[in-house]
Amino acid sequence: IQGPENAAAISAVHVELPTALAADTDGEQVIEEVEQQIADATGKDDADALETLWAPEYVWVGPIGQVLSRAQRLAMIRSGEMKSERYAIDGEQIRIYGATAVVIFRSTVAGVLENRDISSERLVTNVLVQQGGRWRAVWQHSTLLQRR
């Protein structure tokens, strides 16, 4: 959206957004559990578990801009191209909008991608949707955090 005529619309979205966030502590607890399951499976390279936790339309955008479908990422894990030694998450912020949840957290990663060390700290955004009575990830985007 460009131009001064759209500035009010953009500002209105930013002003109204926090009021749309009702606390759903039960839902947040379920999302935290799903995110921990994803983190545990990622840290163990458990492609079978990730296959159930990631929806078929799942897309991963890595910290240096790689874009992988669920099938591509699972294949890289199964082949050993993508290996995790450690994957830990903390500082989760969860927002639930009906059957969609947005989760932001910091991850600490130790691992290798295509024989390159990818160990780092990242800021991650995950989008989950409720499908068939359970929450599944549909989108993940990671950004590298600068070391201080």
Side-chain angles (χ1 to χ4, degrees):
I1 301 176
Q2 296 180 351
E5 67 278 2
N6 294 315
I10 293 168
S11 295
V13 169
H14 289 289
V15 170
E16 292 177 24
L17 186 62
T19 61
L21 306 176
D24 178 359
T25 54
D26 290 340
E28 288 179 14
Q29 183 176 356
V30 171
I31 298 298
E32 283 179 16
E33 290 169 6
V34 171
E35 286 294 347
Q36 191 58 57
Q37 291 171 9
I38 292 170
D40 292 345
T42 300
K44 296 174 185 171
D45 294 325
D46 187 346
D48 293 336
L50 291 169
E51 191 166 22
T52 65
L53 294 163
W54 295 340
E57 63 273 23
Y58 172 84
V59 173
W60 178 74
V61 180
I64 59 171
Q66 30 336 19
V67 179
L68 299 175
S69 68
R70 172 182 174 225
Q72 290 170 317
R73 190 161 182 213
L74 289 170
M76 291 181 84
I77 292 168
R78 287 184 170 123
S79 72
E81 274 185 271
M82 184 180 286
K83 293 182 190 177
S84 294
E85 296 170 19
R86 179 171 180 260
Y87 188 88
I89 62 174
D90 65 81
E92 288 175 296
Q93 298 176 34
I94 299 169
R95 302 292 184 262
I96 300 172
Y97 305 92
T100 303
V102 178
V103 185
I104 300 171
F105 57 87
R106 186 177 64 196
S107 69
T108 304
V109 178
V112 175
L113 174 62
E114 299 171 334
N115 295 316
R116 289 177 301 172
D117 183 10
I118 58 167
S119 301
S120 59
E121 287 188 357
R122 305 169 183 186
L123 184 63
V124 179
T125 302
N126 274 355
V127 178
L128 294 90
V129 296
Q130 203 167 28
Q131 295 178 330
R134 68 179 197 210
W135 289 95
R136 300 174 85 186
V138 293
W139 188 269
Q140 180 175 351
H141 181 269
S142 299
T143 302
L144 289 175
L145 293 174
Q146 296 293 324
R147 296 187 186 252
R148 295 179 188 198

